[in-house]
Amino acid sequence: MVNLHSYVAPCDKNPGHTAFIPTKTFTKERLPVRYHDDDIVDVVKLLAEVTVRIAVKVTSPARPDKLPGTDVPYPCYDLRGTKTLRTGTGYAGQVILRDAAPCPCEECRTADVPCDRWSEIHVTTSQHLVFDDIEAKKTAARFWFDDDKSLLVSVNASQVLESDIEADRCVVMFITHDIQLAMKLKETLSKLEEMRAKVNEKYGENDKLVVIVSHPHGCSKQVTVGEWEVQEVEKGKRRFAYTAPTCPGSGGAPVFVLSSKSQFFHTHSGTDNRLNYSSLC
């Protein structure tokens, strides 16, 4: 619960975290000269507003021992059945306002008068972070954690709506009674889609800029910048490998790939020691 640059535990991957930029201080001057574009900065700032720190309080006993089709150990397999806290990142992709329908959250299910005005927030993250419903029911998302002075705005998860273990991507439903929170996110998502489309019209296949917004080590929100070096296409879906730095806790973070053919925000999945890579989507 601290600012990343005050984080004293050793980090072998990115000692000192010098490449990680707090969202509030991110400007176009932190981008390569070719991309000194206020519209790109607007996309990153809006993306940061819908990026969340995810905390998972249990690890499902249903996790497999290996990644599909490999001999590589599946993340956190050794923690199965424990209550060890794990943190990562996700991003809200859809908000659905519910009116005049009983809220299905745990609190309302046992209440004499359940709330009938509530919202679903669909958060995309990596499946290695939130594996199944067992984990989802013990998962919380913290919004607007931009520095160590940020107010605590937390929402609890309900269930996994979509999952793809081979792509390492899932969508988790969070439920909130805070209608103002939901409306703000819905408005931000609308602006984000508009700005992303505007920026993508300016750039093409020769532009390889990658920007990631994440919560490394579970700390406050940070921006990192790099380029993609490898693009894989499988059954019409894409996976990128890139130089933009990440740390433990960046899993599930939104990855903005500046490309006219990249119609979605990708999701950070892992690293192969030289490059970081996204999920397949």
Side-chain angles (χ1 to χ4, degrees):
M1 303 295 285
V2 297
N3 186 288
L4 180 71
H5 300 287
S6 300
Y7 185 73
V8 295
C11 177
D12 295 333
K13 189 175 183 184
N14 293 291
H17 300 105
T18 56
F20 290 75
I21 309 161
T23 53
K24 289 185 176 180
T25 62
F26 180 73
T27 64
K28 63 184 178 184
E29 284 72 28
R30 304 304 295 263
L31 295 165
V33 174
R34 170 174 167 74
Y35 304 111
H36 282 190
D37 184 335
D38 288 331
D39 287 341
I40 294 178
V41 174
D42 286 346
V43 170
V44 175
K45 295 279 191 178
L46 288 166
L47 183 59
E49 287 189 33
V50 300
T51 299
V52 299
R53 199 282 300 272
I54 291 179
V56 187
K57 299 177 182 178
V58 301
T59 302
S60 172
R63 283 185 176 243
D65 58 343
K66 305 290 184 183
L67 289 169
T70 76
D71 290 325
V72 179
Y74 195 79
C76 300
Y77 171 79
D78 58 329
L79 296 177
R80 293 188 312 165
T82 70
K83 296 181 180 180
T84 302
L85 177 68
R86 297 179 287 106
T87 62
T89 308
Y91 55 103
Q94 185 179 18
V95 176
I96 301 174
L97 303 176
R98 300 295 189 185
D99 201 353
C103 175
C105 77
E106 185 173 345
E107 179 183 346
C108 285
R109 283 201 303 269
T110 59
D112 292 335
V113 182
C115 182
D116 62 359
R117 193 162 185 253
W118 51 282
S119 296
E120 296 179 20
I121 302 173
H122 297 180
V123 171
T124 300
T125 187
S126 55
Q127 190 169 357
H128 79 256
L129 178 61
V130 185
F131 184 75
D132 57 14
D133 284 347
I134 293 173
E135 295 183 5
K137 292 180 186 302
K138 296 297 181 179
T139 295
R142 181 174 179 180
F143 289 84
W144 306 318
F145 181 19
D146 296 318
D147 56 40
D148 55 357
K149 297 178 182 178
S150 299
L151 294 175
L152 179 60
V153 181
S154 186
V155 176
N156 293 324
S158 172
Q159 66 184 99
V160 174
L161 296 176
E162 302 174 21
S163 64
D164 187 333
I165 190 171
E166 293 185 354
D168 191 29
R169 185 175 181 274
C170 70
V171 178
V172 183
M173 182 174 77
F174 290 77
I175 292 176
T176 181
H177 299 160
D178 188 340
I179 302 302
Q180 285 188 322
L181 166 66
M183 292 295 291
K184 183 175 179 179
L185 287 173
K186 196 173 182 67
E187 181 180 351
T188 301
L189 285 169
S190 179
K191 292 178 181 177
L192 176 58
E193 178 60 24
E194 179 182 334
M195 288 304 303
R196 186 191 60 79
K198 180 180 179 181
V199 166
N200 275 359
E201 288 181 359
K202 296 182 181 182
Y203 299 93
E205 290 300 289
N206 294 326
D207 294 290
K208 296 188 175 183
L209 179 70
V210 169
V211 183
I212 301 175
V213 183
S214 74
H215 286 279
H217 301 287
C219 295
S220 55
K221 198 176 300 172
Q222 306 287 318
V223 177
T224 53
V225 178
E227 292 187 342
W228 65 264
E229 292 189 3
V230 180
Q231 178 181 185
E232 299 176 0
V233 180
E234 182 179 324
K235 297 180 180 179
K237 297 182 178 181
R238 298 173 186 271
R239 175 185 285 116
F240 290 90
Y242 35 79
T243 61
T246 61
C247 271
S250 296
V255 181
F256 174 39
V257 179
L258 187 64
S259 167
S260 59
K261 288 189 176 181
S262 183
Q263 299 301 314
F264 306 95
F265 292 110
H266 290 258
T267 306
H268 176 64
S269 180
T271 181
D272 64 3
N273 294 320
R274 189 181 78 84
L275 294 173
N276 298 308
Y277 57 85
S278 69
S279 62
L280 191 67
C281 68

